[in-house]
Amino acid sequence: MLNHFKRNHVLLFCWVILFAIVSGNFGNYLGIPYLFLDPVYINQVNFFSFFIMGIVIAGFSIAFHITTYINDGHRFSFIGIQSKPFTIFSLNNSIIPFIFLFCYVVFIIQYQVSNEFVEDDMLLRNLLGLLFGYIGMTILLFSYFWFTNKDIFKYVVCKVDEKLKQNIKVTRASAMKKLNIAKKKQSRVDHFLNLNFAFEKVEDDKGFYDRNTILQVFDQNHFNLVIIELFIFILLIIMGIFKDYEAFQLPAAASFTLLLTIFVMFVGAFSYWFGNWSTSFALVIIIIINGLVKEGFFNKTYKAFGLDYTTEPAPYSLEHIEELNSNENREKDRKETLEILNNWRSKFPEEEKPKMVFLCVSGGGQRAALWAMNVLQYTDSLTNGQLIKNTMLITGASGGLIGASYYRELYLRGLSNKKINRHANEYKEKIASDNLNAVIFSLLMNDFFVGFQNFQYNGLEYDKDRGYAFEHQLNKNTEFVLDKPLAAYRTPEKSSEIPMIIMAPTVINDGRKLYISPQHISYMMDPSDSIYTGEKLSGVEFLRLFEKQGSEELRFLSGLRMSATFPYITPNITLPSEPPIEIMDAGITDNFGISDAIKFLFAFKKWIAKNTNGVVFVSIRDSEKNGSISKETNLSLFEKFSMPISSIYQNFESLQDITNDSKMEYAREWFDGNIERINIEYVPREYAKENLSTADSLRMENVRRASLSWRLTRREKESLIENIHTHNNEKAILRLKSLLEL
């Protein structure tokens, strides 16, 4: 332990990360601890998911032993005269791994009992799965080390390719140098734990310094390390080739642990080869890699499927943006959308002026997707389908837009197939199915190792990267109903069978919005008749900008992915333009979709005022708008230093709310009609308050806000679904129902 604290800070840091995650002290907001405490494998948390976790944690522990043994074994020379040196070394080096395993089991029990409410027999099976996986992997690997002792290795090493032996001459010399130093600078050890789990006194170790024996022991250990690394690498390649099959997709936590294992083994090998110079060499390598990346090496382009990247890139310049936003295009697009508005109006009796609904759904990963689906099912059912009928436009970001798009597609299919019940609970289960395992596994397999696979879409070839993994898994979860080109929605939107959807991801290059729709919507940009001629256009229309690159053939799922770009998980999409446009989540500019709906209202304010009885903005939020103000106390030095930046991040949604409220108030000034706003919010704290007297009071005490992730636990799903019944939400829905019945 003292040796680790003195020399192996990187290895300790890896353990600190794991301890912080499983204890809930790291990544709680993103739901990272739940990936370890409630691992999912093939959409189930069971014996096998925990069995896999046991295997990878055992592998990480053994990688920790190997790395420590190779780098620090010479400091404990008495180990070399034991019959099973590596096994004894690992046993005495197991304080940290065993403490972690014990704590991991305790945290699993606490979480499963207090949050998932699993039955005792199921909890026991899960824990047995973890322990069987851990013990089985440990026995398998140590059996290999057990039988490859230095006597047998004399035979084995003769069979090893001479090239391998030549490559390790330098490290042999390094080993001899370390051993010579070790004669003078040994770490003091009086007793050690032997294979009988009894403390044994350290004996004189003069015989250990025989040169031939030392080289044989070193060769054995180095060869073992190479074999284990090759085994892991080959296993990763095999799994990467078949990664499209769910059986080969490890739980997200297992993929992360496996990545950490590879890192530990690499750090150990790097440290051994370069010794005291390892830090300097690492800095040099980082500087070189940074320079190569800057020059375009190692750059990976994540593409939007359906677009043609082989043609000449579309020009992205101020002149071209202004050309696309010409008055002629605006007027033409207004006339086309007026036809849609008239078709929408024709669904209602001529003598009655209907309410026009704008559905604005917030982003927030799978949490927002399930919440949007839950609210739309419940509210639309309560209004007898009037909500979706009155809805003209759907805007928003990220997961909320995915949930709303799924519901809209079910509604469209239900028009021709009456057997489809869009209010069925099965669709909530589908949209809430795990989408993270495939993405994280693809990050490990594709982006780091197996990057040679591709697939064809609409006759064009693309890489099977993380973006593909995200779309493929979402496609499977939703039974492939959203796997359409963008243009497939043009006719049903034009006839007003379904509401329009406008996706508005953010262009990283300049902060503009990229408006994606099967309709031409140049009117969504800022008005061109402004007195101030220096006005900066706030957006650009996707359909026209990438017309020559096949914008109509954009895969609708890729459009949703552009609006739901989750930092470091779902990668930024690069579009075929010059300079290349990089896309970020729509929530960067407006996580709630309010500003885009107001822009649409402004573009058709006269028609809407004349033909409707007012508009209703239905804001489906996965967060509380007017939450309590917390007081920051007992801040650390680092927290005080980071406060100016962290406060902006923490209040990001609040800042957007203030901006949207101001726009809404201005809209009431220039719109000659009535504007209503209905907020339906996911506030688990409120639900807990209202149900403390129920039999589920224990469950309610543990209700926390569902994590921002592409994977939800069972407790989080239940919390999201039941939260529709809060007093404020029921009141808001009744208000909406009364408005639509006018």
Side-chain angles (χ1 to χ4, degrees):
M1 285 290 289
L2 291 176
N3 179 70
H4 287 310
F5 281 109
K6 185 177 180 180
R7 297 182 177 89
N8 298 325
H9 301 142
V10 175
L11 298 182
L12 285 179
F13 182 68
C14 293
W15 283 111
V16 168
I17 291 175
L18 288 178
F19 271 105
I21 289 175
V22 299
S23 63
N25 292 309
F26 176 79
N28 240 343
Y29 179 67
L30 299 175
I32 295 176
Y34 306 146
L35 303 180
F36 284 80
L37 303 177
D38 199 44
V40 171
Y41 177 63
I42 314 182
N43 277 320
Q44 289 187 342
V45 178
N46 54 23
F47 176 91
F48 296 104
S49 64
F50 278 97
F51 181 77
I52 293 172
M53 288 304 303
I55 289 176
V56 296
I57 290 173
F60 176 75
S61 300
I62 293 170
F64 170 69
H65 294 319
I66 292 173
T67 300
T68 307
Y69 186 46
I70 292 296
N71 287 318
D72 294 330
H74 64 280
R75 303 184 191 278
F76 306 94
S77 58
F78 70 92
I79 293 290
I81 62 174
Q82 306 300 319
S83 60
K84 304 296 180 184
F86 178 71
T87 305
I88 292 176
F89 182 90
S90 300
L91 181 62
N92 287 270
N93 191 47
S94 292
I95 296 176
I96 296 176
F98 283 167
I99 290 177
F100 174 78
L101 182 62
F102 175 79
C103 292
Y104 186 34
V105 170
V106 171
F107 288 131
I108 288 173
I109 294 172
Q110 288 179 344
Y111 177 80
Q112 294 289 332
V113 170
S114 62
N115 290 276
E116 298 300 323
F117 295 90
V118 298
E119 297 178 359
D120 292 343
D121 58 338
M122 183 180 294
L123 177 59
L124 180 60
R125 283 199 300 270
N126 292 343
L127 292 177
L128 287 176
L130 176 73
L131 296 177
F132 283 171
Y134 189 95
I135 294 171
M137 185 65 171
T138 301
I139 292 175
L140 177 65
L141 290 177
F142 273 98
S143 295
Y144 170 77
F145 290 116
W146 184 275
F147 290 109
T148 55
N149 57 40
K150 61 186 179 185
D151 296 324
I152 295 177
F153 185 79
K154 288 179 181 179
Y155 172 79
V156 175
V157 77
C158 294
K159 304 297 182 181
V160 179
D161 188 84
E162 289 298 323
K163 189 174 182 180
L164 174 62
K165 297 180 72 176
Q166 291 174 3
N167 289 338
I168 62 177
K169 283 181 180 179
V170 175
T171 48
R172 283 189 178 202
S174 176
M176 290 304 302
K177 183 178 179 180
K178 286 188 175 185
L179 289 165
N180 289 331
I181 295 173
K183 292 179 181 180
K184 301 177 182 178
K185 295 184 178 181
Q186 284 287 295
S187 295
R188 176 181 171 179
V189 178
D190 296 325
H191 296 82
F192 66 96
L193 198 63
N194 61 26
L195 295 179
N196 295 321
F197 293 94
F199 285 103
E200 183 177 326
K201 184 176 176 59
V202 174
E203 301 293 341
D204 184 25
D205 56 359
K206 291 180 180 179
F208 175 60
Y209 294 110
D210 175 70
R211 180 180 177 86
N212 292 328
T213 304
I214 291 169
L215 289 178
Q216 289 171 7
V217 171
F218 167 73
D219 280 344
Q220 170 199 347
N221 294 324
H222 186 87
F223 184 73
N224 284 341
L225 179 61
V226 171
I227 292 297
I228 295 299
E229 287 178 333
L230 286 175
F231 172 76
I232 293 175
F233 186 71
I234 293 172
L235 182 63
L236 288 177
I237 291 177
I238 294 173
M239 295 175 69
I241 293 173
F242 298 100
K243 65 179 181 296
D244 288 344
Y245 298 93
E246 282 188 316
F248 287 89
Q249 294 172 4
L250 300 179
S255 295
F256 176 79
T257 307
L258 192 56
L259 181 61
L260 212 58
T261 302
I262 296 169
F263 174 75
V264 164
M265 299 187 78
F266 172 79
V267 166
F270 191 85
S271 176
Y272 188 88
W273 277 83
F274 297 106
N276 295 332
W277 289 92
S278 58
T279 303
S280 300
F281 274 104
L283 289 174
V284 171
I285 291 173
I286 290 172
I287 292 172
I288 292 173
I289 292 176
N290 181 65
L292 292 175
V293 170
K294 188 176 181 180
E295 294 299 321
F297 292 89
F298 309 121
N299 280 357
K300 183 174 179 60
T301 300
Y302 296 92
K303 299 178 180 179
F305 307 139
L307 291 184
D308 189 354
Y309 285 76
T310 62
T311 62
E312 184 180 352
Y316 187 67
S317 61
L318 294 176
E319 295 78 14
H320 192 54
I321 293 174
E322 290 176 357
E323 180 184 340
L324 296 177
N325 196 48
S326 65
N327 289 332
E328 181 182 353
N329 284 341
R330 283 173 176 269
E331 192 57 34
K332 179 183 176 182
D333 296 351
R334 278 197 183 96
K335 288 180 180 179
E336 290 179 356
T337 305
L338 280 172
E339 293 181 19
I340 300 177
L341 289 169
N342 287 321
N343 289 333
W344 175 86
R345 178 66 181 87
S346 66
K347 295 190 295 184
F348 306 93
E350 292 185 10
E351 64 278 6
E352 295 180 9
K353 287 187 176 183
K355 289 281 188 183
M356 178 176 284
V357 174
F358 295 133
L359 276 179
C360 306
V361 291
S362 77
Q366 199 168 48
R367 176 184 70 200
L370 177 56
W371 179 240
M373 171 62 74
N374 184 39
V375 171
L376 287 173
Q377 282 189 328
Y378 182 80
T379 308
D380 195 38
S381 175
L382 205 63
T383 59
N384 295 317
Q386 202 67 29
L387 174 63
I388 196 71
K389 181 181 178 181
N390 284 61
T391 299
M392 175 62 208
L393 176 68
I394 300 175
T395 59
S398 190
L401 207 55
I402 292 176
S405 297
Y406 186 36
Y407 186 78
R408 185 184 73 154
E409 176 62 32
L410 294 173
Y411 175 76
L412 176 61
R413 290 174 178 259
L415 296 177
S416 56
N417 184 359
K418 300 302 179 183
K419 293 182 180 180
I420 295 178
N421 177 17
R422 64 182 185 275
H423 303 131
N425 288 328
E426 65 179 284
Y427 299 117
K428 284 197 286 280
E429 295 173 4
K430 294 181 187 302
I431 199 67
S433 297
D434 176 72
N435 203 29
L436 192 61
N437 281 358
V439 176
I440 299 298
F441 191 71
S442 180
L443 171 64
L444 176 64
M445 297 295 103
N446 242 84
D447 293 31
F448 290 155
F449 295 104
V450 192
F452 52 78
Q453 290 182 299
N454 50 50
F455 77 107
Q456 285 197 342
Y457 178 79
N458 198 27
L460 299 170
E461 196 169 273
Y462 304 93
D463 292 336
K464 283 188 174 182
D465 50 27
R466 292 205 311 283
Y468 167 82
F470 177 82
E471 291 186 25
H472 183 67
Q473 190 61 45
L474 178 61
N475 212 6
K476 287 201 299 183
N477 291 349
T478 55
E479 295 184 315
F480 306 96
V481 299
L482 294 172
D483 195 3
K484 297 179 176 182
L486 186 64
Y489 287 108
R490 175 173 295 157
T491 299
E493 281 190 7
K494 190 172 279 291
S495 62
S496 200
E497 290 181 88
I498 56 174
M500 291 176 61
I501 281 185
I502 297 179
M503 295 173 278
T506 306
V507 178
I508 294 178
N509 307 53
D510 55 18
R512 287 183 170 89
K513 289 188 176 186
L514 182 67
Y515 287 105
I516 304 174
S517 168
Q519 318 299 331
H520 286 295
I521 52 172
S522 59
Y523 50 77
M524 289 295 291
M525 316 314 140
D526 292 324
S528 60
D529 54 356
S530 173
I531 298 175
Y532 174 55
T533 56
E535 183 179 274
K536 182 176 181 178
L537 293 173
S538 63
V540 60
E541 186 194 350
F542 171 83
L543 209 59
R544 279 197 175 93
L545 179 61
F546 295 101
E547 185 176 3
K548 295 181 180 179
Q549 289 72 33
S551 55
E552 292 185 344
E553 297 303 316
L554 172 75
R555 193 185 195 189
F556 186 71
L557 286 165
S558 290
L560 291 175
R561 175 160 61 99
M562 280 193 265
S563 295
T565 302
F566 202 89
Y568 309 112
I569 304 299
T570 48
N572 298 336
I573 287 179
T574 301
L575 298 176
S577 63
E578 182 56 45
I581 292 176
E582 287 203 38
I583 297 300
M584 190 63 180
D585 194 291
I588 295 295
T589 49
D590 182 10
N591 195 48
F592 305 102
I594 298 291
S595 61
D596 293 327
I598 290 176
K599 280 191 174 184
F600 186 91
L601 175 62
F602 182 84
F604 301 99
K605 57 185 177 182
K606 293 181 180 179
W607 188 97
I608 294 174
K610 181 180 178 181
N611 292 276
T612 71
N613 189 30
V615 297
V616 183
F617 287 82
V618 179
S619 180
I620 302 175
R621 309 168 52 101
D622 80 326
S623 61
E624 188 176 13
K625 183 179 179 182
N626 293 308
S628 58
I629 301 174
S630 59
K631 181 181 179 181
E632 301 290 349
T633 58
N634 300 324
L635 296 178
S636 66
L637 178 62
F638 178 76
E639 288 172 333
K640 289 183 178 180
F641 178 77
S642 62
M643 179 63 73
I645 297 175
S646 63
S647 61
I648 295 175
Y649 173 76
Q650 292 169 2
N651 295 302
F652 192 63
E653 288 189 350
S654 180
L655 293 171
Q656 290 187 350
D657 276 329
I658 293 170
T659 301
N660 286 335
D661 287 349
S662 298
K663 290 180 178 180
M664 189 72 74
E665 288 305 311
Y666 290 142
R668 290 189 170 96
E669 294 293 328
W670 49 253
F671 178 63
D672 189 18
N674 186 42
I675 295 179
E676 295 278 352
R677 185 172 178 181
I678 305 292
N679 291 322
I680 305 176
E681 305 172 342
Y682 166 56
V683 189
R685 171 177 48 79
E686 183 182 331
Y687 180 66
K689 280 183 179 179
E690 296 172 12
N691 294 269
L692 287 177
S693 60
T694 65
D696 283 339
S697 59
L698 177 60
R699 182 189 296 267
M700 289 303 99
E701 288 175 7
N702 289 281
V703 168
R704 299 188 188 94
R705 178 168 160 76
S707 53
L708 178 63
S709 174
W710 286 110
R711 188 255 154 149
L712 297 171
T713 66
R714 188 178 71 175
R715 187 266 305 166
E716 289 175 328
K717 294 174 186 177
E718 291 177 359
S719 170
L720 279 158
I721 292 171
E722 294 300 324
N723 203 253
I724 193 70
H725 300 297
T726 65
H727 174 73
N728 288 339
N729 284 340
E730 292 282 12
K731 184 178 177 181
I733 292 170
L734 289 176
R735 173 62 178 158
L736 175 61
K737 184 179 179 182
S738 66
L739 289 171
L740 297 180
E741 289 176 349
L742 290 176

